[in-house]
Amino acid sequence: MTSPPSPARWHRRPVLRFTILVGLLCACGLLLLVAPPDLRAIPDMVDRLGPFAPLAAVGVGAALLIVLVPRTLITVAWGALFGPLGGAGYTLAAALLAALLGFAVGRWLGRDFVAARVRGRLARLDGWFSRQSLLGVITVRLLPIGGFGLVSYGYGTTGARLLPYLAGSVIASIPSAFGYAAIGSAVVSPGSINWFAVAPATFGLFATAVIIWRWRRSSRPTTGPA
């Protein structure tokens, strides 16, 4: 009869999983520096796949986001291949899939470790993520605090709820998806750029300012009558 695992062994498992998560992120970052993806081979792949190209665009886009390739680069490339609307649509689908995968990996590998060790202000921050609404997720996604994939992994280590996280991740990606896809389309078809191209610089900036202002206003303590 085998004896049950010792408490010390169970205690080490969250540490081991978190170590794997950190190692995974470091490996992805190192891979991008040593062997950045060559997107020049993608047009040939699209031609060979024919009607299955959109499905491949979503899958490949999600995989690239998961290994921390910047979403801007992918969106511009997809816009050049599929046009402004197709490029934006496939990029958003890839973002949804990558957000789900990154969240799942971060939750499984890092949540137990983080939940057992956060104290003080970090505990309050984790509580804020746990209570976070759709607006809060959009706010975090629009802030320049990290790449799409990195933020996805980070969200998994918090107590954030899945549905508001996924919805907010996609909504926050919409302005830049259409804008950069339009830019990518204009690169291969000069003169075709349209108003979508200015979305990241206008709507995204405006939405970020409004969301932060409303969030800060709602977080101020209210004072009663004297």
Side-chain angles (χ1 to χ4, degrees):
M1 182 176 179
T2 59
S3 59
S6 64
R9 182 180 176 185
W10 284 105
H11 178 72
R12 287 196 300 268
R13 286 190 174 181
V15 177
L16 176 61
R17 293 201 302 269
F18 187 77
T19 302
I20 293 174
L21 177 61
V22 174
L24 175 65
L25 296 178
C26 291
C28 290
L30 182 62
L31 182 63
L32 286 180
L33 292 176
V34 176
D38 185 7
L39 300 181
R40 292 174 297 179
I42 293 179
D44 292 336
M45 181 188 71
V46 170
D47 292 336
R48 289 195 301 268
L49 290 174
F52 297 102
L55 184 62
V58 174
V60 172
L64 291 174
L65 288 171
I66 283 297
V67 298
L68 307 185
V69 174
R71 187 167 57 90
T72 300
L73 178 63
I74 300 170
T75 308
V76 171
W78 270 216
L81 292 172
F82 302 102
L85 296 181
Y90 302 147
T91 301
L92 289 175
L96 175 62
L97 180 58
L100 177 60
L101 294 175
F103 183 92
V105 172
R107 179 61 57 92
W108 183 62
L109 292 178
R111 176 56 186 165
D112 290 342
F113 177 87
V114 172
R117 287 164 176 79
V118 291
R119 300 289 187 275
R121 292 183 178 180
L122 289 179
R124 290 194 294 271
L125 179 62
D126 185 66
W128 179 76
F129 277 105
S130 301
R131 300 185 303 270
Q132 202 174 51
S133 64
L134 177 66
L135 182 63
V137 178
I138 296 174
T139 302
V140 174
R141 281 295 192 186
L142 287 175
L143 293 175
I145 57 176
F148 188 90
L150 187 62
V151 173
S152 299
Y153 288 117
Y155 254 103
T157 66
T158 71
R161 294 170 295 159
L162 179 60
L163 291 182
Y165 157 77
L166 288 178
S169 296
V170 174
I171 293 173
S173 301
I174 290 174
S176 59
F178 282 97
Y180 289 120
I183 293 174
S185 178
V187 170
V188 296
S189 301
S192 66
I193 194 168
N194 53 42
W195 64 271
F196 284 124
V198 299
T202 54
F203 178 78
L205 181 61
F206 176 75
T208 302
V210 171
I211 289 171
I212 294 175
W213 175 76
R214 291 188 59 182
W215 175 63
R216 292 187 62 182
R217 185 179 180 185
S218 64
S219 63
R220 292 176 183 173
T222 56
T223 57

Short mmCIF file of all heavy atoms in Angstrom, two decimals, residues 38-106:
data_model
loop_
_atom_site.label_atom_id
_atom_site.label_comp_id
_atom_site.label_asym_id
_atom_site.label_seq_id
_atom_site.Cartn_x
_atom_site.Cartn_y
_atom_site.Cartn_z
N ASP A 38 8.86 34.82 -39.14
CA ASP A 38 8.98 35.34 -40.50
C ASP A 38 7.60 35.28 -41.15
O ASP A 38 7.16 34.22 -41.59
CB ASP A 38 9.99 34.50 -41.29
CG ASP A 38 10.23 35.09 -42.68
OD1 ASP A 38 9.73 36.19 -42.96
OD2 ASP A 38 10.92 34.43 -43.48
N LEU A 39 6.93 36.42 -41.18
CA LEU A 39 5.58 36.47 -41.73
C LEU A 39 5.56 36.47 -43.25
O LEU A 39 4.49 36.41 -43.85
CB LEU A 39 4.85 37.72 -41.20
CG LEU A 39 4.69 37.80 -39.67
CD1 LEU A 39 3.93 39.06 -39.29
CD2 LEU A 39 3.98 36.57 -39.14
N ARG A 40 6.74 36.52 -43.87
CA ARG A 40 6.77 36.55 -45.33
C ARG A 40 6.33 35.23 -45.94
O ARG A 40 5.94 35.16 -47.11
CB ARG A 40 8.18 36.90 -45.81
CG ARG A 40 8.62 38.32 -45.49
CD ARG A 40 10.07 38.55 -45.85
NE ARG A 40 10.95 37.68 -45.08
CZ ARG A 40 12.29 37.68 -45.21
NH1 ARG A 40 12.87 38.48 -46.10
NH2 ARG A 40 13.03 36.89 -44.48
N ALA A 41 6.41 34.15 -45.15
CA ALA A 41 5.99 32.84 -45.67
C ALA A 41 4.49 32.63 -45.61
O ALA A 41 3.97 31.68 -46.21
CB ALA A 41 6.69 31.73 -44.89
N ILE A 42 3.77 33.52 -44.92
CA ILE A 42 2.33 33.32 -44.73
C ILE A 42 1.54 33.45 -46.02
O ILE A 42 0.60 32.67 -46.24
CB ILE A 42 1.81 34.26 -43.63
CG1 ILE A 42 2.42 33.85 -42.28
CG2 ILE A 42 0.30 34.24 -43.55
CD1 ILE A 42 2.01 34.71 -41.13
N PRO A 43 1.83 34.41 -46.93
CA PRO A 43 1.03 34.49 -48.17
C PRO A 43 1.02 33.19 -48.97
O PRO A 43 -0.03 32.79 -49.50
CB PRO A 43 1.72 35.62 -48.95
CG PRO A 43 2.31 36.49 -47.89
CD PRO A 43 2.76 35.54 -46.82
N ASP A 44 2.16 32.50 -49.05
CA ASP A 44 2.19 31.22 -49.76
C ASP A 44 1.31 30.19 -49.08
O ASP A 44 0.61 29.41 -49.74
CB ASP A 44 3.63 30.69 -49.85
CG ASP A 44 4.50 31.56 -50.75
OD1 ASP A 44 3.94 32.25 -51.62
OD2 ASP A 44 5.73 31.56 -50.55
N MET A 45 1.32 30.20 -47.75
CA MET A 45 0.47 29.27 -47.01
C MET A 45 -1.00 29.56 -47.26
O MET A 45 -1.81 28.65 -47.42
CB MET A 45 0.78 29.36 -45.51
CG MET A 45 -0.03 28.41 -44.65
SD MET A 45 0.18 28.71 -42.88
CE MET A 45 -0.70 30.27 -42.70
N VAL A 46 -1.35 30.85 -47.30
CA VAL A 46 -2.74 31.23 -47.56
C VAL A 46 -3.18 30.75 -48.94
O VAL A 46 -4.30 30.22 -49.10
CB VAL A 46 -2.90 32.76 -47.44
CG1 VAL A 46 -4.27 33.21 -47.94
CG2 VAL A 46 -2.70 33.19 -45.99
N ASP A 47 -2.33 30.89 -49.93
CA ASP A 47 -2.67 30.43 -51.29
C ASP A 47 -2.88 28.92 -51.33
O ASP A 47 -3.78 28.42 -52.01
CB ASP A 47 -1.57 30.84 -52.27
CG ASP A 47 -1.50 32.34 -52.47
OD1 ASP A 47 -2.53 33.02 -52.23
OD2 ASP A 47 -0.42 32.84 -52.85
N ARG A 48 -2.06 28.19 -50.59
CA ARG A 48 -2.17 26.73 -50.61
C ARG A 48 -3.42 26.24 -49.89
O ARG A 48 -4.02 25.24 -50.28
CB ARG A 48 -0.93 26.09 -49.98
CG ARG A 48 0.34 26.22 -50.82
CD ARG A 48 1.40 25.27 -50.32
NE ARG A 48 1.74 25.52 -48.93
CZ ARG A 48 2.71 26.33 -48.52
NH1 ARG A 48 3.43 27.00 -49.42
NH2 ARG A 48 2.98 26.49 -47.24
N LEU A 49 -3.82 26.95 -48.84
CA LEU A 49 -4.96 26.50 -48.04
C LEU A 49 -6.29 26.82 -48.69
O LEU A 49 -7.30 26.17 -48.41
CB LEU A 49 -4.89 27.13 -46.65
CG LEU A 49 -3.77 26.63 -45.75
CD1 LEU A 49 -3.73 27.43 -44.46
CD2 LEU A 49 -3.96 25.15 -45.44
N GLY A 50 -6.33 27.82 -49.53
CA GLY A 50 -7.57 28.16 -50.24
C GLY A 50 -8.70 28.51 -49.29
O GLY A 50 -8.58 29.43 -48.47
N PRO A 51 -9.83 27.77 -49.34
CA PRO A 51 -10.98 28.11 -48.49
C PRO A 51 -10.73 27.92 -47.00
O PRO A 51 -11.50 28.43 -46.17
CB PRO A 51 -12.08 27.15 -48.98
CG PRO A 51 -11.34 26.02 -49.63
CD PRO A 51 -10.10 26.62 -50.22
N PHE A 52 -9.68 27.19 -46.65
CA PHE A 52 -9.37 26.99 -45.23
C PHE A 52 -8.45 28.07 -44.67
O PHE A 52 -8.07 28.02 -43.50
CB PHE A 52 -8.73 25.62 -45.02
CG PHE A 52 -9.61 24.46 -45.39
CD1 PHE A 52 -9.43 23.81 -46.60
CD2 PHE A 52 -10.63 24.06 -44.56
CE1 PHE A 52 -10.25 22.75 -46.96
CE2 PHE A 52 -11.45 23.00 -44.90
CZ PHE A 52 -11.26 22.34 -46.12
N ALA A 53 -8.09 29.04 -45.50
CA ALA A 53 -7.18 30.09 -45.07
C ALA A 53 -7.71 30.91 -43.88
O ALA A 53 -6.96 31.22 -42.96
CB ALA A 53 -6.85 31.01 -46.25
N PRO A 54 -9.01 31.28 -43.88
CA PRO A 54 -9.49 32.03 -42.71
C PRO A 54 -9.34 31.27 -41.40
O PRO A 54 -8.96 31.85 -40.38
CB PRO A 54 -10.98 32.27 -43.05
CG PRO A 54 -11.02 32.26 -44.54
CD PRO A 54 -10.02 31.21 -44.94
N LEU A 55 -9.64 29.97 -41.42
CA LEU A 55 -9.49 29.16 -40.21
C LEU A 55 -8.03 29.12 -39.78
O LEU A 55 -7.71 29.23 -38.58
CB LEU A 55 -10.03 27.75 -40.45
CG LEU A 55 -10.03 26.81 -39.25
CD1 LEU A 55 -10.93 27.36 -38.16
CD2 LEU A 55 -10.49 25.41 -39.67
N ALA A 56 -7.13 28.98 -40.76
CA ALA A 56 -5.70 28.98 -40.44
C ALA A 56 -5.26 30.33 -39.90
O ALA A 56 -4.42 30.40 -39.00
CB ALA A 56 -4.90 28.61 -41.68
N ALA A 57 -5.82 31.42 -40.43
CA ALA A 57 -5.46 32.75 -39.97
C ALA A 57 -5.81 32.92 -38.50
O ALA A 57 -5.04 33.51 -37.72
CB ALA A 57 -6.16 33.80 -40.81
N VAL A 58 -6.95 32.41 -38.10
CA VAL A 58 -7.36 32.50 -36.69
C VAL A 58 -6.44 31.66 -35.82
O VAL A 58 -5.95 32.11 -34.78
CB VAL A 58 -8.82 32.06 -36.53
CG1 VAL A 58 -9.20 32.03 -35.04
CG2 VAL A 58 -9.76 33.01 -37.28
N GLY A 59 -6.18 30.42 -36.24
CA GLY A 59 -5.34 29.54 -35.44
C GLY A 59 -3.90 30.01 -35.34
O GLY A 59 -3.32 30.03 -34.24
N VAL A 60 -3.32 30.40 -36.48
CA VAL A 60 -1.94 30.88 -36.47
C VAL A 60 -1.84 32.20 -35.70
O VAL A 60 -0.88 32.41 -34.93
CB VAL A 60 -1.42 31.06 -37.91
CG1 VAL A 60 -0.06 31.74 -37.92
CG2 VAL A 60 -1.34 29.71 -38.61
N GLY A 61 -2.82 33.07 -35.88
CA GLY A 61 -2.81 34.34 -35.14
C GLY A 61 -2.85 34.12 -33.64
O GLY A 61 -2.13 34.77 -32.88
N ALA A 62 -3.71 33.19 -33.20
CA ALA A 62 -3.79 32.89 -31.77
C ALA A 62 -2.48 32.31 -31.25
O ALA A 62 -2.01 32.67 -30.16
CB ALA A 62 -4.94 31.92 -31.50
N ALA A 63 -1.86 31.42 -32.03
CA ALA A 63 -0.59 30.83 -31.61
C ALA A 63 0.50 31.89 -31.49
O ALA A 63 1.30 31.88 -30.54
CB ALA A 63 -0.18 29.74 -32.60
N LEU A 64 0.53 32.82 -32.44
CA LEU A 64 1.53 33.88 -32.38
C LEU A 64 1.31 34.78 -31.18
O LEU A 64 2.27 35.21 -30.52
CB LEU A 64 1.49 34.70 -33.67
CG LEU A 64 1.97 33.98 -34.95
CD1 LEU A 64 1.73 34.85 -36.17
CD2 LEU A 64 3.44 33.61 -34.84
N LEU A 65 0.05 35.08 -30.86
CA LEU A 65 -0.23 35.90 -29.69
C LEU A 65 0.18 35.20 -28.40
O LEU A 65 0.69 35.82 -27.47
CB LEU A 65 -1.72 36.25 -29.63
CG LEU A 65 -2.23 37.26 -30.67
CD1 LEU A 65 -3.74 37.34 -30.63
CD2 LEU A 65 -1.62 38.63 -30.41
N ILE A 66 -0.03 33.88 -28.36
CA ILE A 66 0.30 33.12 -27.16
C ILE A 66 1.80 33.12 -26.90
O ILE A 66 2.25 33.10 -25.76
CB ILE A 66 -0.25 31.68 -27.29
CG1 ILE A 66 -1.75 31.66 -27.04
CG2 ILE A 66 0.45 30.73 -26.33
CD1 ILE A 66 -2.14 32.08 -25.64
N VAL A 67 2.59 33.14 -27.97
CA VAL A 67 4.05 33.17 -27.78
C VAL A 67 4.58 34.60 -27.75
O VAL A 67 5.77 34.84 -27.97
CB VAL A 67 4.78 32.34 -28.85
CG1 VAL A 67 4.37 30.88 -28.77
CG2 VAL A 67 4.52 32.88 -30.25
N LEU A 68 3.67 35.55 -27.49
CA LEU A 68 3.99 36.94 -27.20
C LEU A 68 4.39 37.78 -28.42
O LEU A 68 5.01 38.83 -28.27
CB LEU A 68 5.10 37.04 -26.13
CG LEU A 68 4.85 36.26 -24.83
CD1 LEU A 68 5.96 36.54 -23.83
CD2 LEU A 68 3.49 36.59 -24.23
N VAL A 69 4.03 37.34 -29.62
CA VAL A 69 4.22 38.20 -30.79
C VAL A 69 3.26 39.38 -30.68
O VAL A 69 2.09 39.20 -30.34
CB VAL A 69 3.96 37.42 -32.09
CG1 VAL A 69 4.02 38.34 -33.31
CG2 VAL A 69 4.96 36.29 -32.23
N PRO A 70 3.71 40.61 -30.91
CA PRO A 70 2.84 41.78 -30.77
C PRO A 70 1.61 41.68 -31.68
O PRO A 70 1.70 41.31 -32.85
CB PRO A 70 3.74 42.95 -31.19
CG PRO A 70 5.12 42.47 -30.93
CD PRO A 70 5.11 41.00 -31.22
N ARG A 71 0.46 42.03 -31.13
CA ARG A 71 -0.79 41.96 -31.89
C ARG A 71 -0.81 42.93 -33.05
O ARG A 71 -1.42 42.67 -34.09
CB ARG A 71 -1.98 42.24 -30.95
CG ARG A 71 -3.35 42.02 -31.59
CD ARG A 71 -4.42 42.01 -30.52
NE ARG A 71 -4.41 43.23 -29.75
CZ ARG A 71 -5.12 44.31 -30.06
NH1 ARG A 71 -5.89 44.31 -31.14
NH2 ARG A 71 -5.08 45.39 -29.31
N THR A 72 -0.12 44.07 -32.91
CA THR A 72 -0.07 45.05 -34.00
C THR A 72 0.55 44.44 -35.25
O THR A 72 0.03 44.61 -36.36
CB THR A 72 0.74 46.28 -33.57
OG1 THR A 72 0.12 46.87 -32.44
CG2 THR A 72 0.81 47.30 -34.70
N LEU A 73 1.64 43.71 -35.09
CA LEU A 73 2.32 43.08 -36.22
C LEU A 73 1.41 42.09 -36.92
O LEU A 73 1.33 42.05 -38.16
CB LEU A 73 3.60 42.39 -35.73
CG LEU A 73 4.42 41.64 -36.78
CD1 LEU A 73 4.93 42.60 -37.84
CD2 LEU A 73 5.58 40.91 -36.11
N ILE A 74 0.70 41.28 -36.13
CA ILE A 74 -0.19 40.28 -36.70
C ILE A 74 -1.35 40.95 -37.44
O ILE A 74 -1.72 40.55 -38.55
CB ILE A 74 -0.73 39.36 -35.60
CG1 ILE A 74 0.43 38.64 -34.90
CG2 ILE A 74 -1.72 38.35 -36.16
CD1 ILE A 74 0.02 37.90 -33.64
N THR A 75 -1.91 41.99 -36.85
CA THR A 75 -3.06 42.66 -37.45
C THR A 75 -2.69 43.31 -38.77
O THR A 75 -3.45 43.24 -39.75
CB THR A 75 -3.62 43.71 -36.48
OG1 THR A 75 -3.86 43.13 -35.20
CG2 THR A 75 -4.93 44.28 -37.01
N VAL A 76 -1.54 43.97 -38.83
CA VAL A 76 -1.09 44.58 -40.09
C VAL A 76 -0.90 43.51 -41.15
O VAL A 76 -1.30 43.68 -42.32
CB VAL A 76 0.21 45.38 -39.86
CG1 VAL A 76 0.80 45.83 -41.19
CG2 VAL A 76 -0.06 46.59 -38.97
N ALA A 77 -0.27 42.38 -40.79
CA ALA A 77 -0.05 41.30 -41.75
C ALA A 77 -1.36 40.72 -42.23
O ALA A 77 -1.55 40.46 -43.44
CB ALA A 77 0.82 40.22 -41.12
N TRP A 78 -2.31 40.50 -41.33
CA TRP A 78 -3.59 39.93 -41.72
C TRP A 78 -4.39 40.92 -42.58
O TRP A 78 -5.12 40.51 -43.47
CB TRP A 78 -4.38 39.55 -40.48
CG TRP A 78 -4.17 38.16 -39.96
CD1 TRP A 78 -5.12 37.36 -39.39
CD2 TRP A 78 -2.96 37.40 -39.92
NE1 TRP A 78 -4.57 36.16 -39.00
CE2 TRP A 78 -3.25 36.16 -39.32
CE3 TRP A 78 -1.65 37.64 -40.34
CZ2 TRP A 78 -2.29 35.17 -39.13
CZ3 TRP A 78 -0.69 36.67 -40.14
CH2 TRP A 78 -1.01 35.46 -39.56
N GLY A 79 -4.25 42.21 -42.30
CA GLY A 79 -4.90 43.20 -43.14
C GLY A 79 -4.36 43.20 -44.55
O GLY A 79 -5.10 43.36 -45.52
N ALA A 80 -3.04 42.99 -44.68
CA ALA A 80 -2.43 42.93 -46.01
C ALA A 80 -2.88 41.69 -46.77
O ALA A 80 -3.01 41.72 -47.99
CB ALA A 80 -0.90 42.94 -45.87
N LEU A 81 -3.14 40.60 -46.05
CA LEU A 81 -3.53 39.35 -46.70
C LEU A 81 -5.02 39.26 -47.00
O LEU A 81 -5.42 38.72 -48.04
CB LEU A 81 -3.12 38.17 -45.82
CG LEU A 81 -1.62 37.92 -45.66
CD1 LEU A 81 -1.38 36.84 -44.61
CD2 LEU A 81 -1.01 37.51 -46.99
N PHE A 82 -5.84 39.76 -46.08
CA PHE A 82 -7.29 39.53 -46.19
C PHE A 82 -8.11 40.80 -46.33
O PHE A 82 -9.34 40.73 -46.35
CB PHE A 82 -7.78 38.76 -44.94
CG PHE A 82 -7.09 37.44 -44.73
CD1 PHE A 82 -6.09 37.30 -43.79
CD2 PHE A 82 -7.43 36.34 -45.51
CE1 PHE A 82 -5.46 36.08 -43.59
CE2 PHE A 82 -6.80 35.12 -45.32
CZ PHE A 82 -5.81 34.99 -44.35
N GLY A 83 -7.46 41.96 -46.40
CA GLY A 83 -8.20 43.20 -46.51
C GLY A 83 -8.56 43.75 -45.14
O GLY A 83 -8.40 43.07 -44.12
N PRO A 84 -9.08 44.98 -45.08
CA PRO A 84 -9.34 45.61 -43.79
C PRO A 84 -10.41 44.89 -42.96
O PRO A 84 -10.24 44.73 -41.75
CB PRO A 84 -9.78 47.03 -44.16
CG PRO A 84 -10.21 46.94 -45.58
CD PRO A 84 -9.37 45.87 -46.21
N LEU A 85 -11.50 44.48 -43.58
CA LEU A 85 -12.56 43.83 -42.81
C LEU A 85 -12.21 42.39 -42.47
O LEU A 85 -12.36 41.97 -41.32
CB LEU A 85 -13.87 43.88 -43.61
CG LEU A 85 -14.44 45.27 -43.87
CD1 LEU A 85 -15.75 45.18 -44.64
CD2 LEU A 85 -14.67 46.00 -42.54
N GLY A 86 -11.74 41.63 -43.46
CA GLY A 86 -11.34 40.25 -43.16
C GLY A 86 -10.19 40.18 -42.19
O GLY A 86 -10.19 39.37 -41.26
N GLY A 87 -9.18 41.04 -42.39
CA GLY A 87 -8.04 41.05 -41.48
C GLY A 87 -8.44 41.37 -40.06
O GLY A 87 -7.98 40.74 -39.11
N ALA A 88 -9.33 42.37 -39.90
CA ALA A 88 -9.78 42.74 -38.55
C ALA A 88 -10.60 41.61 -37.92
O ALA A 88 -10.43 41.29 -36.75
CB ALA A 88 -10.60 44.02 -38.61
N GLY A 89 -11.48 41.01 -38.71
CA GLY A 89 -12.32 39.94 -38.17
C GLY A 89 -11.52 38.73 -37.73
O GLY A 89 -11.73 38.18 -36.64
N TYR A 90 -10.57 38.30 -38.55
CA TYR A 90 -9.75 37.14 -38.20
C TYR A 90 -8.84 37.45 -37.01
O TYR A 90 -8.57 36.58 -36.17
CB TYR A 90 -8.92 36.68 -39.39
CG TYR A 90 -9.75 36.33 -40.61
CD1 TYR A 90 -9.27 36.55 -41.90
CD2 TYR A 90 -11.03 35.80 -40.46
CE1 TYR A 90 -10.05 36.23 -43.01
CE2 TYR A 90 -11.81 35.49 -41.56
CZ TYR A 90 -11.31 35.71 -42.84
OH TYR A 90 -12.07 35.40 -43.94
N THR A 91 -8.37 38.68 -36.94
CA THR A 91 -7.53 39.07 -35.81
C THR A 91 -8.32 39.06 -34.51
O THR A 91 -7.82 38.61 -33.47
CB THR A 91 -6.93 40.47 -36.04
OG1 THR A 91 -6.15 40.46 -37.24
CG2 THR A 91 -6.05 40.88 -34.88
N LEU A 92 -9.56 39.55 -34.55
CA LEU A 92 -10.39 39.54 -33.34
C LEU A 92 -10.71 38.12 -32.90
O LEU A 92 -10.72 37.82 -31.70
CB LEU A 92 -11.67 40.33 -33.59
CG LEU A 92 -11.51 41.85 -33.71
CD1 LEU A 92 -12.83 42.50 -34.09
CD2 LEU A 92 -10.99 42.44 -32.41
N ALA A 93 -10.98 37.23 -33.86
CA ALA A 93 -11.23 35.83 -33.51
C ALA A 93 -9.98 35.20 -32.89
O ALA A 93 -10.05 34.45 -31.92
CB ALA A 93 -11.67 35.05 -34.74
N ALA A 94 -8.81 35.52 -33.46
CA ALA A 94 -7.56 35.01 -32.90
C ALA A 94 -7.32 35.57 -31.50
O ALA A 94 -6.83 34.87 -30.61
CB ALA A 94 -6.39 35.38 -33.82
N ALA A 95 -7.67 36.85 -31.30
CA ALA A 95 -7.50 37.46 -29.98
C ALA A 95 -8.38 36.78 -28.94
O ALA A 95 -7.96 36.56 -27.80
CB ALA A 95 -7.81 38.95 -30.06
N LEU A 96 -9.61 36.44 -29.33
CA LEU A 96 -10.50 35.74 -28.41
C LEU A 96 -9.93 34.39 -28.02
O LEU A 96 -9.91 34.02 -26.84
CB LEU A 96 -11.88 35.58 -29.05
CG LEU A 96 -12.91 34.76 -28.25
CD1 LEU A 96 -13.20 35.43 -26.91
CD2 LEU A 96 -14.20 34.59 -29.05
N LEU A 97 -9.46 33.64 -29.01
CA LEU A 97 -8.89 32.32 -28.73
C LEU A 97 -7.62 32.42 -27.89
O LEU A 97 -7.43 31.66 -26.93
CB LEU A 97 -8.60 31.61 -30.05
CG LEU A 97 -8.01 30.19 -29.96
CD1 LEU A 97 -8.92 29.27 -29.17
CD2 LEU A 97 -7.78 29.63 -31.35
N ALA A 98 -6.76 33.38 -28.22
CA ALA A 98 -5.52 33.56 -27.46
C ALA A 98 -5.80 34.03 -26.04
O ALA A 98 -5.12 33.61 -25.10
CB ALA A 98 -4.61 34.56 -28.17
N ALA A 99 -6.80 34.89 -25.88
CA ALA A 99 -7.16 35.35 -24.53
C ALA A 99 -7.62 34.18 -23.68
O ALA A 99 -7.28 34.09 -22.49
CB ALA A 99 -8.25 36.42 -24.62
N LEU A 100 -8.41 33.27 -24.26
CA LEU A 100 -8.89 32.11 -23.53
C LEU A 100 -7.74 31.17 -23.16
O LEU A 100 -7.63 30.72 -22.02
CB LEU A 100 -9.93 31.37 -24.37
CG LEU A 100 -10.49 30.07 -23.77
CD1 LEU A 100 -11.18 30.35 -22.44
CD2 LEU A 100 -11.45 29.42 -24.75
N LEU A 101 -6.86 30.89 -24.12
CA LEU A 101 -5.75 29.97 -23.87
C LEU A 101 -4.77 30.55 -22.85
O LEU A 101 -4.33 29.86 -21.93
CB LEU A 101 -5.03 29.66 -25.18
CG LEU A 101 -5.82 28.87 -26.22
CD1 LEU A 101 -5.03 28.74 -27.51
CD2 LEU A 101 -6.19 27.49 -25.68
N GLY A 102 -4.42 31.83 -23.01
CA GLY A 102 -3.50 32.46 -22.06
C GLY A 102 -4.07 32.49 -20.65
O GLY A 102 -3.36 32.23 -19.67
N PHE A 103 -5.36 32.80 -20.54
CA PHE A 103 -6.02 32.82 -19.24
C PHE A 103 -5.99 31.43 -18.60
O PHE A 103 -5.70 31.29 -17.40
CB PHE A 103 -7.46 33.30 -19.42
CG PHE A 103 -8.23 33.43 -18.14
CD1 PHE A 103 -8.27 34.64 -17.46
CD2 PHE A 103 -8.94 32.37 -17.62
CE1 PHE A 103 -8.99 34.77 -16.28
CE2 PHE A 103 -9.66 32.48 -16.44
CZ PHE A 103 -9.69 33.69 -15.77
N ALA A 104 -6.30 30.40 -19.39
CA ALA A 104 -6.33 29.03 -18.86
C ALA A 104 -4.96 28.60 -18.36
O ALA A 104 -4.83 28.00 -17.28
CB ALA A 104 -6.85 28.07 -19.93
N VAL A 105 -3.92 28.90 -19.13
CA VAL A 105 -2.57 28.53 -18.73
C VAL A 105 -2.15 29.28 -17.47
O VAL A 105 -1.60 28.70 -16.52
CB VAL A 105 -1.57 28.79 -19.87
CG1 VAL A 105 -0.13 28.60 -19.40
CG2 VAL A 105 -1.86 27.87 -21.05
N GLY A 106 -2.42 30.59 -17.44
CA GLY A 106 -2.08 31.38 -16.26
C GLY A 106 -2.84 30.94 -15.03
O GLY A 106 -2.28 30.89 -13.92
#
